Coordinates of all heavy atoms in Angstrom, one line a residue:
M550 N 29.6 -59.1 -60.9 CA 29.4 -57.8 -61.4 C 30.3 -56.8 -60.5 O 30.1 -56.8 -59.3 CB 28.0 -57.4 -61.2 CG 27.6 -56.1 -61.9 SD 25.8 -56.0 -61.8 CE 25.5 -54.7 -63.0
A551 N 31.3 -56.2 -61.1 CA 32.2 -55.3 -60.3 C 31.4 -54.1 -59.8 O 30.6 -53.5 -60.5 CB 33.3 -54.9 -61.2
R552 N 31.8 -53.7 -58.6 CA 31.2 -52.5 -58.0 C 32.3 -51.5 -57.7 O 33.4 -51.9 -57.4 CB 30.5 -52.9 -56.7 CG 29.3 -53.8 -56.9 CD 28.5 -53.9 -55.7 NE 29.2 -54.2 -54.5 CZ 28.9 -53.9 -53.2 NH1 27.7 -53.3 -53.0 NH2 29.6 -54.3 -52.2
Y553 N 32.0 -50.3 -57.9 CA 33.0 -49.2 -57.7 C 32.4 -48.1 -56.8 O 31.2 -48.0 -56.7 CB 33.3 -48.6 -59.1 CG 33.8 -49.6 -60.1 CD1 33.0 -50.3 -60.9 CD2 35.2 -49.9 -60.1 CE1 33.4 -51.2 -61.8 CE2 35.7 -50.9 -61.0 CZ 34.8 -51.5 -61.9 OH 35.3 -52.4 -62.7
K554 N 33.4 -47.4 -56.2 CA 33.0 -46.3 -55.4 C 32.9 -45.0 -56.3 O 33.9 -44.7 -57.0 CB 33.9 -46.1 -54.3 CG 33.5 -44.9 -53.3 CD 34.5 -44.8 -52.1 CE 34.0 -43.7 -51.2 NZ 34.9 -43.7 -50.0
F555 N 31.8 -44.3 -56.2 CA 31.6 -43.1 -57.0 C 31.5 -41.9 -56.1 O 30.9 -42.0 -55.1 CB 30.3 -43.2 -57.9 CG 30.4 -44.2 -59.0 CD1 30.0 -45.6 -58.7 CD2 30.8 -43.9 -60.2 CE1 30.1 -46.5 -59.7 CE2 30.9 -44.8 -61.2 CZ 30.5 -46.2 -61.0
V556 N 32.2 -40.9 -56.5 CA 32.1 -39.6 -55.7 C 31.8 -38.5 -56.7 O 32.3 -38.3 -57.8 CB 33.5 -39.4 -55.1 CG1 33.5 -38.0 -54.4 CG2 33.9 -40.5 -54.1
C557 N 30.9 -37.6 -56.1 CA 30.5 -36.4 -56.9 C 31.4 -35.2 -56.3 O 31.3 -35.0 -55.1 CB 29.0 -36.1 -56.7 SG 28.6 -34.5 -57.5
R558 N 32.1 -34.6 -57.2 CA 32.9 -33.5 -56.7 C 32.1 -32.3 -56.4 O 32.6 -31.4 -55.6 CB 33.9 -33.1 -57.9 CG 35.0 -34.2 -58.1 CD 36.3 -33.6 -57.8 NE 37.3 -34.6 -57.7 CZ 38.4 -34.7 -58.5 NH1 38.7 -33.8 -59.3 NH2 39.3 -35.7 -58.3
S559 N 30.9 -32.1 -56.9 CA 30.2 -30.9 -56.7 C 29.4 -30.9 -55.3 O 29.5 -30.0 -54.5 CB 29.1 -30.7 -57.8 OG 29.8 -30.6 -59.0
C560 N 28.8 -32.0 -55.0 CA 27.9 -32.0 -53.8 C 28.4 -33.1 -52.8 O 27.8 -33.3 -51.8 CB 26.5 -32.3 -54.1 SG 26.1 -33.9 -54.7
K561 N 29.5 -33.7 -53.1 CA 30.2 -34.7 -52.1 C 29.3 -36.0 -52.0 O 29.6 -36.7 -51.0 CB 30.4 -34.1 -50.8 CG 31.1 -32.8 -50.8 CD 32.5 -32.9 -51.4 CE 33.2 -31.5 -51.4 NZ 34.4 -31.5 -52.4
F562 N 28.3 -36.2 -52.8 CA 27.6 -37.4 -52.7 C 28.5 -38.6 -53.0 O 29.3 -38.5 -54.0 CB 26.4 -37.4 -53.7 CG 25.7 -38.7 -53.8 CD1 24.9 -39.1 -52.8 CD2 25.7 -39.4 -54.9 CE1 24.2 -40.3 -52.9 CE2 25.1 -40.6 -55.1 CZ 24.3 -41.1 -54.0
E563 N 28.4 -39.7 -52.3 CA 29.2 -40.9 -52.5 C 28.2 -42.1 -52.6 O 27.3 -42.1 -51.8 CB 30.2 -41.1 -51.4 CG 31.3 -40.1 -51.3 CD 32.3 -40.5 -50.3 OE1 32.3 -41.6 -49.8 OE2 33.1 -39.6 -49.9
C564 N 28.6 -43.0 -53.4 CA 27.8 -44.3 -53.4 C 28.7 -45.4 -53.9 O 29.8 -45.1 -54.6 CB 26.5 -44.2 -54.2 SG 26.8 -44.1 -56.0
I565 N 28.3 -46.6 -53.6 CA 29.0 -47.7 -54.2 C 28.0 -48.5 -55.1 O 26.9 -48.8 -54.6 CB 29.5 -48.7 -53.1 CG1 30.7 -48.0 -52.3 CG2 30.0 -50.0 -53.7 CD1 31.2 -48.8 -51.1
S566 N 28.4 -48.6 -56.3 CA 27.4 -49.2 -57.3 C 28.2 -49.9 -58.4 O 29.3 -49.6 -58.7 CB 26.5 -48.2 -57.9 OG 25.6 -48.8 -58.8
S567 N 27.5 -50.8 -59.0 CA 28.0 -51.4 -60.2 C 27.5 -50.5 -61.4 O 26.8 -49.5 -61.2 CB 27.4 -52.8 -60.4 OG 26.0 -52.8 -60.2
I568 N 28.0 -50.8 -62.6 CA 27.6 -50.0 -63.7 C 26.9 -50.9 -64.7 O 27.3 -52.1 -64.9 CB 28.9 -49.4 -64.5 CG1 29.7 -48.7 -63.5 CG2 28.4 -48.5 -65.6 CD1 31.1 -48.2 -64.1
G569 N 25.8 -50.4 -65.2 CA 25.1 -51.2 -66.2 C 24.3 -52.4 -65.7 O 23.8 -52.3 -64.6
R570 N 24.3 -53.4 -66.4 CA 23.5 -54.6 -66.0 C 24.3 -55.9 -66.1 O 25.1 -56.0 -66.9 CB 22.2 -54.6 -66.8 CG 22.4 -54.6 -68.3 CD 21.1 -54.8 -69.0 NE 20.2 -53.7 -68.8 CZ 18.8 -53.8 -68.8 NH1 18.3 -55.0 -68.9 NH2 18.1 -52.8 -68.6
E571 N 23.9 -56.8 -65.2 CA 24.4 -58.2 -65.3 C 23.3 -59.1 -65.6 O 22.3 -59.2 -64.9 CB 25.0 -58.6 -63.9 CG 25.6 -60.0 -63.9 CD 26.1 -60.3 -62.5 OE1 25.3 -60.5 -61.6 OE2 27.4 -60.4 -62.4
V572 N 23.3 -59.6 -66.8 CA 22.2 -60.4 -67.3 C 22.3 -61.9 -66.8 O 23.3 -62.5 -67.1 CB 22.1 -60.3 -68.8 CG1 21.0 -61.2 -69.4 CG2 22.0 -58.9 -69.3
G573 N 21.3 -62.3 -66.2 CA 21.2 -63.7 -65.7 C 20.2 -64.5 -66.5 O 19.7 -64.0 -67.6
L574 N 19.9 -65.7 -66.0 CA 19.0 -66.5 -66.8 C 17.6 -66.0 -66.9 O 17.0 -65.9 -67.9 CB 19.0 -67.9 -66.2 CG 18.4 -69.1 -67.0 CD1 19.2 -69.2 -68.4 CD2 18.6 -70.4 -66.3
H575 N 17.0 -65.6 -65.7 CA 15.6 -65.2 -65.7 C 15.5 -63.7 -65.3 O 14.4 -63.2 -65.4 CB 14.9 -66.0 -64.6 CG 14.8 -67.5 -65.0 ND1 14.2 -68.0 -66.1 CD2 15.3 -68.5 -64.3 CE1 14.3 -69.3 -66.1 NE2 15.0 -69.6 -65.1
S576 N 16.6 -63.1 -64.8 CA 16.5 -61.8 -64.4 C 17.9 -61.1 -64.6 O 18.9 -61.8 -64.8 CB 16.1 -61.7 -62.9 OG 17.1 -62.3 -62.1
S577 N 17.9 -59.8 -64.5 CA 19.1 -59.0 -64.6 C 19.3 -58.2 -63.3 O 18.4 -57.8 -62.7 CB 19.1 -58.1 -65.7 OG 19.0 -58.8 -66.9
R578 N 20.6 -58.0 -62.9 CA 20.9 -57.0 -61.9 C 21.2 -55.7 -62.6 O 22.1 -55.7 -63.4 CB 22.1 -57.5 -61.1 CG 21.8 -58.8 -60.2 CD 21.0 -58.5 -59.0 NE 21.8 -57.8 -58.0 CZ 21.2 -57.2 -56.9 NH1 19.9 -57.3 -56.7 NH2 22.0 -56.6 -56.0
V579 N 20.4 -54.7 -62.3 CA 20.6 -53.4 -63.0 C 20.8 -52.3 -62.0 O 20.1 -52.2 -60.9 CB 19.3 -53.1 -63.8 CG1 19.4 -51.8 -64.6 CG2 18.9 -54.3 -64.7
A580 N 21.8 -51.5 -62.2 CA 22.0 -50.3 -61.4 C 21.0 -49.3 -61.8 O 20.8 -48.9 -62.9 CB 23.4 -49.7 -61.7
M581 N 20.2 -48.9 -60.7 CA 19.1 -47.9 -61.0 C 19.1 -46.8 -60.0 O 19.6 -46.9 -58.9 CB 17.7 -48.7 -60.9 CG 17.6 -49.8 -61.9 SD 15.9 -50.5 -61.9 CE 15.1 -49.5 -63.1
V582 N 18.6 -45.7 -60.5 CA 18.6 -44.5 -59.6 C 17.2 -44.1 -59.3 O 16.3 -44.2 -60.2 CB 19.4 -43.3 -60.3 CG1 18.8 -43.0 -61.7 CG2 19.3 -42.0 -59.4
C583 N 16.9 -43.7 -58.1 CA 15.5 -43.3 -57.7 C 15.6 -41.7 -57.7 O 16.3 -41.1 -57.0 CB 15.1 -43.8 -56.3 SG 13.5 -43.1 -55.8
K584 N 14.8 -41.2 -58.6 CA 14.8 -39.7 -58.8 C 14.2 -39.0 -57.6 O 14.4 -37.9 -57.3 CB 14.0 -39.4 -60.0 CG 14.6 -39.9 -61.3 CD 15.5 -38.8 -61.9 CE 16.4 -39.3 -63.0 NZ 15.7 -40.2 -64.0
S585 N 13.3 -39.8 -56.8 CA 12.7 -39.2 -55.7 C 13.6 -39.1 -54.5 O 13.7 -38.1 -53.8 CB 11.5 -40.0 -55.3 OG 10.9 -39.6 -54.1
C586 N 14.4 -40.2 -54.2 CA 15.2 -40.3 -53.1 C 16.7 -40.0 -53.4 O 17.5 -39.8 -52.5 CB 15.2 -41.7 -52.5 SG 13.6 -42.4 -52.2
S587 N 17.0 -39.9 -54.7 CA 18.4 -39.6 -55.1 C 19.3 -40.7 -54.5 O 20.4 -40.4 -54.0 CB 18.9 -38.2 -54.7 OG 18.1 -37.3 -55.3
T588 N 18.9 -41.9 -54.7 CA 19.7 -43.1 -54.2 C 20.0 -43.9 -55.5 O 19.2 -44.0 -56.4 CB 19.1 -43.9 -53.2 OG1 17.8 -44.3 -53.6 CG2 18.9 -43.1 -51.9
I589 N 21.2 -44.6 -55.4 CA 21.6 -45.5 -56.4 C 21.8 -46.9 -55.8 O 22.4 -47.0 -54.8 CB 22.9 -45.0 -57.1 CG1 22.7 -43.7 -57.8 CG2 23.4 -46.1 -58.1 CD1 23.9 -43.0 -58.3
D590 N 21.2 -47.9 -56.4 CA 21.3 -49.2 -55.9 C 21.1 -50.2 -57.0 O 20.7 -49.8 -58.1 CB 20.2 -49.5 -54.8 CG 20.7 -50.3 -53.7 OD1 21.6 -51.2 -53.9 OD2 20.3 -50.1 -52.6
A591 N 21.5 -51.4 -56.8 CA 21.3 -52.5 -57.8 C 20.0 -53.2 -57.5 O 19.7 -53.6 -56.4 CB 22.5 -53.5 -57.7
Y592 N 19.2 -53.4 -58.6 CA 17.9 -54.0 -58.4 C 17.8 -55.2 -59.4 O 18.5 -55.3 -60.4 CB 16.8 -53.1 -58.8 CG 16.7 -51.9 -57.8 CD1 17.4 -50.7 -58.0 CD2 15.9 -52.0 -56.6 CE1 17.3 -49.7 -57.1 CE2 15.8 -51.0 -55.7 CZ 16.5 -49.8 -55.9 OH 16.5 -48.8 -55.0
T593 N 17.0 -56.2 -58.9 CA 16.8 -57.4 -59.8 C 15.6 -57.1 -60.7 O 14.5 -56.8 -60.2 CB 16.5 -58.6 -58.9 OG1 17.7 -58.8 -58.1 CG2 16.3 -59.8 -59.8
V594 N 15.8 -57.2 -61.9 CA 14.7 -56.9 -62.9 C 14.4 -58.2 -63.7 O 15.3 -58.8 -64.3 CB 15.1 -55.8 -63.9 CG1 13.9 -55.5 -64.8 CG2 15.4 -54.5 -63.1
A595 N 13.2 -58.7 -63.6 CA 12.9 -59.9 -64.4 C 12.8 -59.6 -65.9 O 12.5 -58.6 -66.3 CB 11.5 -60.4 -63.9
H596 N 13.2 -60.6 -66.6 CA 13.1 -60.6 -68.0 C 11.7 -60.7 -68.4 O 10.9 -61.3 -67.8 CB 13.9 -61.7 -68.7 CG 15.4 -61.6 -68.5 ND1 16.3 -62.6 -68.7 CD2 16.1 -60.6 -68.0 CE1 17.5 -62.2 -68.4 NE2 17.4 -61.0 -68.0
P597 N 11.3 -60.0 -69.5 CA 9.9 -60.2 -70.0 C 9.6 -61.6 -70.2 O 10.3 -62.4 -70.8 CB 9.9 -59.4 -71.4 CG 11.1 -58.5 -71.3 CD 12.1 -59.2 -70.4
G598 N 8.4 -62.0 -69.7 CA 7.9 -63.4 -69.9 C 8.5 -64.4 -68.8 O 8.3 -65.6 -68.9
S599 N 9.2 -63.8 -67.9 CA 9.8 -64.7 -66.8 C 8.6 -65.4 -66.1 O 7.6 -64.8 -65.7 CB 10.6 -63.9 -65.8 OG 11.0 -64.7 -64.7
I600 N 8.9 -66.7 -65.8 CA 7.8 -67.4 -65.0 C 8.1 -67.4 -63.5 O 7.3 -67.9 -62.8 CB 7.8 -68.9 -65.5 CG1 9.2 -69.5 -65.4 CG2 7.3 -69.0 -66.9 CD1 9.2 -71.0 -65.4
N601 N 9.2 -66.8 -63.1 CA 9.5 -66.6 -61.7 C 8.7 -65.5 -61.1 O 9.1 -64.3 -61.3 CB 11.0 -66.5 -61.5 CG 11.3 -66.6 -60.0 OD1 10.5 -66.3 -59.1 ND2 12.6 -66.9 -59.8
T602 N 7.6 -65.7 -60.4 CA 6.7 -64.6 -59.9 C 7.4 -63.9 -58.8 O 7.0 -62.7 -58.6 CB 5.4 -65.2 -59.4 OG1 5.6 -66.2 -58.5 CG2 4.5 -65.7 -60.6
E603 N 8.4 -64.5 -58.2 CA 9.1 -63.8 -57.1 C 9.8 -62.5 -57.6 O 9.8 -61.5 -56.9 CB 10.2 -64.7 -56.5 CG 9.7 -65.8 -55.6 CD 9.5 -65.3 -54.2 OE1 10.4 -64.8 -53.6 OE2 8.3 -65.4 -53.7
I604 N 10.2 -62.6 -58.9 CA 11.0 -61.4 -59.4 C 10.3 -60.8 -60.6 O 10.9 -59.8 -61.1 CB 12.4 -61.9 -59.8 CG1 12.3 -63.0 -60.8 CG2 13.2 -62.3 -58.6 CD1 13.7 -63.4 -61.4
S605 N 9.1 -61.2 -60.9 CA 8.5 -60.6 -62.1 C 7.8 -59.3 -61.8 O 7.4 -58.6 -62.7 CB 7.5 -61.6 -62.7 OG 6.4 -61.9 -61.7
R606 N 7.7 -58.9 -60.6 CA 7.2 -57.6 -60.3 C 8.3 -56.5 -60.6 O 9.5 -56.8 -60.6 CB 6.8 -57.5 -58.8 CG 5.6 -58.3 -58.4 CD 5.4 -58.4 -56.9 NE 6.3 -59.4 -56.4 CZ 7.1 -59.2 -55.3 NH1 7.1 -58.1 -54.7 NH2 7.8 -60.2 -54.9
A607 N 7.8 -55.3 -60.8 CA 8.8 -54.2 -61.1 C 9.6 -54.0 -59.8 O 9.1 -54.1 -58.7 CB 8.0 -53.0 -61.5
P608 N 10.8 -53.6 -60.0 CA 11.6 -53.3 -58.8 C 11.1 -52.1 -58.1 O 10.7 -51.1 -58.7 CB 13.0 -53.1 -59.3 CG 12.8 -52.7 -60.8 CD 11.6 -53.4 -61.2
V609 N 11.2 -52.1 -56.8 CA 10.8 -50.9 -56.0 C 12.0 -50.3 -55.2 O 12.9 -51.1 -54.8 CB 9.6 -51.1 -55.0 CG1 8.4 -51.5 -55.8 CG2 10.0 -52.2 -54.0
C610 N 12.0 -49.0 -55.1 CA 13.1 -48.3 -54.4 C 13.2 -48.8 -53.0 O 12.2 -49.0 -52.3 CB 12.8 -46.8 -54.4 SG 14.0 -45.9 -53.4
T611 N 14.4 -49.1 -52.5 CA 14.6 -49.5 -51.1 C 14.3 -48.5 -50.1 O 14.1 -48.8 -48.9 CB 16.1 -50.0 -50.9 OG1 17.0 -49.0 -51.4 CG2 16.3 -51.3 -51.7
S612 N 14.2 -47.2 -50.5 CA 13.9 -46.1 -49.6 C 12.4 -45.7 -49.6 O 11.8 -45.7 -48.5 CB 14.7 -44.9 -49.9 OG 16.1 -45.2 -49.8
C613 N 11.8 -45.5 -50.7 CA 10.5 -45.0 -50.8 C 9.5 -46.1 -51.2 O 8.3 -45.9 -51.3 CB 10.3 -43.8 -51.7 SG 10.7 -44.2 -53.5
H614 N 10.0 -47.3 -51.5 CA 9.1 -48.4 -51.9 C 8.2 -48.2 -53.0 O 7.1 -48.6 -53.0 CB 8.4 -48.9 -50.6 CG 9.3 -49.2 -49.5 ND1 10.1 -50.3 -49.4 CD2 9.5 -48.5 -48.3 CE1 10.8 -50.3 -48.3 NE2 10.5 -49.2 -47.6
S615 N 8.7 -47.4 -53.9 CA 7.9 -47.1 -55.1 C 8.7 -47.4 -56.3 O 10.0 -47.2 -56.3 CB 7.5 -45.6 -55.1 OG 7.0 -45.3 -56.4
S616 N 8.1 -47.8 -57.4 CA 8.8 -48.1 -58.6 C 8.7 -46.9 -59.6 O 9.3 -46.9 -60.6 CB 8.3 -49.3 -59.3 OG 7.0 -49.2 -59.7
N617 N 7.9 -45.9 -59.2 CA 7.6 -44.8 -60.1 C 8.8 -43.9 -60.5 O 8.8 -43.3 -61.5 CB 6.5 -43.9 -59.5 CG 5.2 -44.6 -59.3 OD1 5.0 -45.6 -60.0 ND2 4.4 -44.2 -58.4
H618 N 9.8 -43.9 -59.6 CA 10.9 -42.9 -59.8 C 12.2 -43.6 -60.2 O 13.2 -43.0 -60.3 CB 11.1 -42.1 -58.5 CG 9.9 -41.5 -58.0 ND1 9.2 -40.5 -58.6 CD2 9.1 -41.9 -56.9 CE1 8.1 -40.2 -57.9 NE2 8.0 -41.0 -56.9
L619 N 12.1 -44.9 -60.4 CA 13.3 -45.7 -60.7 C 13.6 -45.7 -62.2 O 12.7 -45.9 -63.0 CB 13.2 -47.1 -60.3 CG 13.4 -47.4 -58.8 CD1 13.2 -48.9 -58.5 CD2 14.8 -47.0 -58.3
S620 N 14.8 -45.4 -62.6 CA 15.2 -45.6 -64.0 C 16.7 -46.1 -64.0 O 17.4 -45.9 -63.0 CB 15.1 -44.3 -64.7 OG 15.9 -43.3 -64.1
E621 N 17.1 -46.7 -65.1 CA 18.4 -47.3 -65.1 C 19.4 -46.1 -65.1 O 19.3 -45.1 -65.7 CB 18.5 -48.0 -66.5 CG 19.8 -48.9 -66.5 CD 19.8 -49.9 -67.6 OE1 18.7 -50.2 -68.2 OE2 20.9 -50.4 -67.9
W622 N 20.4 -46.4 -64.2 CA 21.5 -45.4 -64.0 C 22.5 -45.5 -65.1 O 22.9 -46.6 -65.5 CB 22.1 -45.6 -62.6 CG 23.1 -44.5 -62.2 CD1 22.9 -43.1 -62.3 CD2 24.4 -44.7 -61.7 NE1 24.0 -42.5 -61.9 CE2 24.9 -43.4 -61.5 CE3 25.2 -45.8 -61.4 CZ2 26.2 -43.2 -61.0 CZ3 26.4 -45.6 -60.9 CH2 26.9 -44.3 -60.7
D623 N 23.0 -44.3 -65.6 CA 23.9 -44.3 -66.7 C 25.4 -44.5 -66.2 O 26.3 -44.5 -67.0 CB 23.8 -43.1 -67.5 CG 24.0 -41.8 -66.7 OD1 24.4 -41.9 -65.5 OD2 23.8 -40.7 -67.2
G624 N 25.5 -44.7 -64.9 CA 26.9 -44.9 -64.4 C 27.7 -43.6 -64.3 O 29.0 -43.7 -64.2
L625 N 27.1 -42.5 -64.4 CA 27.8 -41.2 -64.5 C 27.1 -40.1 -63.8 O 27.8 -39.3 -63.1 CB 27.9 -40.9 -66.0 CG 28.9 -39.7 -66.4 CD1 30.3 -40.2 -66.1 CD2 28.7 -39.4 -67.9
T626 N 25.8 -39.9 -63.9 CA 25.2 -38.7 -63.4 C 24.9 -38.8 -62.0 O 24.2 -39.7 -61.5 CB 23.9 -38.5 -64.2 OG1 24.2 -38.6 -65.6 CG2 23.3 -37.2 -63.9
C627 N 25.3 -37.7 -61.2 CA 24.9 -37.6 -59.8 C 23.4 -37.4 -59.7 O 22.9 -36.4 -60.3 CB 25.7 -36.4 -59.2 SG 25.3 -36.1 -57.5
P628 N 22.8 -38.2 -58.8 CA 21.3 -38.0 -58.7 C 20.9 -36.7 -57.9 O 19.8 -36.4 -57.9 CB 20.9 -39.3 -57.9 CG 22.1 -39.7 -57.2 CD 23.3 -39.3 -58.0
H629 N 21.9 -36.1 -57.2 CA 21.6 -34.9 -56.5 C 21.8 -33.7 -57.3 O 20.9 -32.8 -57.2 CB 22.6 -34.8 -55.2 CG 22.2 -35.8 -54.2 ND1 21.3 -35.5 -53.1 CD2 22.6 -37.1 -54.0 CE1 21.2 -36.6 -52.3 NE2 22.0 -37.5 -52.8
C630 N 22.8 -33.6 -58.1 CA 23.1 -32.3 -58.7 C 23.3 -32.5 -60.2 O 23.6 -31.5 -60.9 CB 24.3 -31.6 -58.1 SG 25.8 -32.5 -58.3
N631 N 23.2 -33.7 -60.7 CA 23.2 -34.0 -62.2 C 24.5 -33.6 -62.9 O 24.6 -33.5 -64.1 CB 22.1 -33.2 -62.9 CG 20.7 -33.8 -62.6 OD1 20.6 -35.0 -62.5 ND2 19.8 -33.0 -62.3
T632 N 25.6 -33.5 -62.1 CA 26.9 -33.4 -62.7 C 27.5 -34.8 -62.8 O 27.0 -35.8 -62.2 CB 27.9 -32.5 -61.9 OG1 28.0 -33.0 -60.6 CG2 27.3 -31.1 -61.9
S633 N 28.6 -34.9 -63.5 CA 29.2 -36.2 -63.7 C 30.0 -36.7 -62.5 O 30.8 -35.9 -61.9 CB 30.2 -36.2 -64.9 OG 29.4 -36.0 -66.1
M634 N 29.8 -37.9 -62.1 CA 30.5 -38.5 -60.9 C 31.8 -39.1 -61.4 O 31.9 -39.5 -62.6 CB 29.6 -39.4 -60.2 CG 28.4 -38.8 -59.6 SD 27.3 -40.0 -58.7 CE 28.3 -40.2 -57.2
R635 N 32.7 -39.4 -60.5 CA 33.9 -40.1 -60.8 C 34.0 -41.4 -60.1 O 33.7 -41.4 -58.9 CB 35.1 -39.2 -60.5 CG 35.3 -38.0 -61.4 CD 36.5 -37.2 -60.8 NE 37.6 -38.1 -60.6 CZ 38.7 -38.0 -61.3 NH1 38.9 -37.0 -62.2 NH2 39.8 -38.8 -61.1
A636 N 34.5 -42.4 -60.7 CA 34.7 -43.7 -60.0 C 36.1 -43.6 -59.4 O 37.1 -43.2 -60.1 CB 34.6 -44.8 -61.0
L637 N 36.2 -44.0 -58.2 CA 37.5 -44.0 -57.4 C 38.0 -45.4 -57.3 O 37.3 -46.2 -56.7 CB 37.3 -43.3 -56.1 CG 37.0 -41.8 -56.0 CD1 37.0 -41.4 -54.5 CD2 38.1 -41.0 -56.8
G638 N 39.2 -45.7 -57.7 CA 39.8 -47.0 -57.5 C 39.1 -48.1 -58.3 O 38.4 -47.8 -59.2
G639 N 39.4 -49.3 -57.9 CA 39.0 -50.4 -58.6 C 37.8 -51.1 -58.0 O 37.1 -50.5 -57.1
D640 N 37.5 -52.3 -58.3 CA 36.4 -53.1 -57.8 C 36.5 -53.2 -56.3 O 37.5 -53.7 -55.7 CB 36.5 -54.5 -58.4 CG 35.4 -55.4 -58.1 OD1 34.6 -55.0 -57.2 OD2 35.3 -56.5 -58.6
V641 N 35.4 -52.7 -55.6 CA 35.4 -52.7 -54.2 C 35.3 -54.0 -53.6 O 35.6 -54.3 -52.4 CB 34.3 -51.7 -53.6 CG1 34.6 -50.3 -53.9 CG2 33.0 -52.2 -54.1
D642 N 34.8 -55.0 -54.3 CA 34.7 -56.4 -53.8 C 35.8 -57.3 -54.2 O 35.8 -58.4 -53.8 CB 33.4 -57.0 -54.5 CG 32.1 -56.2 -54.1 OD1 32.0 -55.9 -52.9 OD2 31.3 -55.9 -54.9
A643 N 36.9 -56.7 -54.8 CA 37.9 -57.5 -55.3 C 38.7 -58.3 -54.2 O 39.1 -59.4 -54.3 CB 38.9 -56.7 -56.1
E644 N 38.7 -57.7 -53.0 CA 39.5 -58.3 -51.9 C 38.6 -59.3 -51.1 O 39.2 -60.0 -50.3 CB 40.0 -57.2 -50.9 CG 40.8 -56.1 -51.6 CD 42.2 -56.7 -52.1 OE1 42.9 -57.1 -51.2 OE2 42.5 -56.7 -53.3
K645 N 37.3 -59.2 -51.2 CA 36.4 -59.9 -50.4 C 35.6 -60.9 -51.2 O 35.5 -60.8 -52.4 CB 35.4 -59.0 -49.7 CG 36.0 -58.0 -48.7 CD 35.1 -56.8 -48.4 CE 35.4 -55.7 -49.4 NZ 34.5 -54.6 -49.2
P646 N 35.1 -62.0 -50.6 CA 34.2 -62.9 -51.3 C 33.0 -62.2 -51.8 O 32.4 -61.4 -51.1 CB 33.9 -64.0 -50.3 CG 34.6 -63.7 -49.1 CD 35.3 -62.3 -49.2
F647 N 32.6 -62.5 -53.0 CA 31.5 -61.7 -53.6 C 30.2 -62.2 -53.0 O 29.9 -63.4 -52.8 CB 31.4 -62.0 -55.1 CG 30.3 -61.2 -55.8 CD1 30.5 -59.9 -56.1 CD2 29.1 -61.8 -56.1 CE1 29.5 -59.2 -56.7 CE2 28.1 -61.1 -56.7 CZ 28.3 -59.8 -57.1
K648 N 29.3 -61.2 -52.5 CA 28.0 -61.5 -52.0 C 27.0 -60.8 -52.8 O 27.1 -59.6 -53.0 CB 28.0 -61.1 -50.5 CG 28.4 -62.2 -49.6 CD 28.3 -61.8 -48.1 CE 26.9 -61.7 -47.7 NZ 26.8 -61.4 -46.2
Y649 N 25.9 -61.5 -53.1 CA 24.8 -60.9 -53.8 C 24.0 -60.0 -53.0 O 23.6 -59.0 -53.5 CB 23.9 -62.0 -54.4 CG 24.2 -62.2 -55.9 CD1 25.0 -63.2 -56.4 CD2 23.6 -61.4 -56.8 CE1 25.2 -63.4 -57.7 CE2 23.8 -61.5 -58.2 CZ 24.6 -62.6 -58.6 OH 24.8 -62.7 -60.0
W650 N 23.6 -60.4 -51.8 CA 22.7 -59.6 -51.0 C 23.3 -59.1 -49.8 O 23.2 -59.6 -48.8 CB 21.5 -60.5 -50.7 CG 20.7 -60.9 -51.9 CD1 20.8 -62.1 -52.5 CD2 19.9 -60.1 -52.8 NE1 20.0 -62.1 -53.6 CE2 19.5 -60.9 -53.8 CE3 19.5 -58.7 -52.7 CZ2 18.6 -60.4 -54.8 CZ3 18.7 -58.2 -53.7 CH2 18.3 -59.1 -54.7
Ligands
ZN238 ZN1 26.4 -34.2 -57.0
ZN239 ZN1 13.0 -43.8 -53.8

C-alpha cells in the first residue's frame, strides 16, 4: 500500500498516510482520521464475520485509545482546518523495504 506525504497549506499540518484501503484476506488496512485528536493513521479493520479475534475489535485511535472518533479518511481533508491537503512527491516507501508495523 503506497504511502504519501500530505501537507496542508492552510495550517501547515503534515502527515504521512496511505489513501483508501488495502483489502486483505481477513482484514483491511484503512486510512482513518480521529476527529478528536486530528490525527491520521492506518488501522487494521476486520472484515465482518472474521474469526480472528485479535483483529475483530473495532480499531482504536493510537492517541486517545477510543474508537468513537475514528472514521475513514477521504485522502483529502485536513483534520485540523477541513481544507484540502496536497500530496507531495511519490510513494515515501519506494526507496525502502516495505514494513507493515
Ligand atoms: Zn489544515
Ligand atoms: Zn484520537
Side-chain angles (χ1 to χ4, degrees):
M550 191 175 194
R552 297 192 306 158
Y553 302 93
K554 182 175 185 178
F555 291 88
V556 175
C557 174
R558 289 241 166 126
S559 300
C560 69
K561 310 299 182 198
F562 173 72
E563 293 184 11
C564 72
I565 292 176
S566 179
S567 51
I568 307 173
R570 53 175 65 209
E571 180 181 70
V572 179
L574 194 58
H575 300 296
S576 63
S577 298
R578 292 283 288 171
V579 184
M581 299 184 91
V582 56
C583 178
K584 295 266 168 43
S585 175
C586 312
S587 300
T588 54
I589 296 168
D590 218 329
Y592 294 91
T593 301
V594 180
H596 294 167
S599 172
I600 54 165
N601 189 337
T602 52
E603 287 275 302
I604 55 171
S605 60
R606 288 168 284 131
V609 295
C610 172
T611 50
S612 299
C613 65
H614 305 289
S615 167
S616 62
N617 296 339
H618 311 288
L619 283 177
S620 59
E621 192 165 344
W622 187 47
D623 59 6
L625 191 68
T626 308
C627 174
H629 286 270
C630 65
N631 290 317
T632 59
S633 294
M634 299 179 72
R635 288 176 52 114
L637 292 185
D640 184 351
V641 295
D642 296 314
E644 304 290 299
K645 295 160 268 176
F647 185 79
K648 270 180 74 176
Y649 255 99
W650 297 104

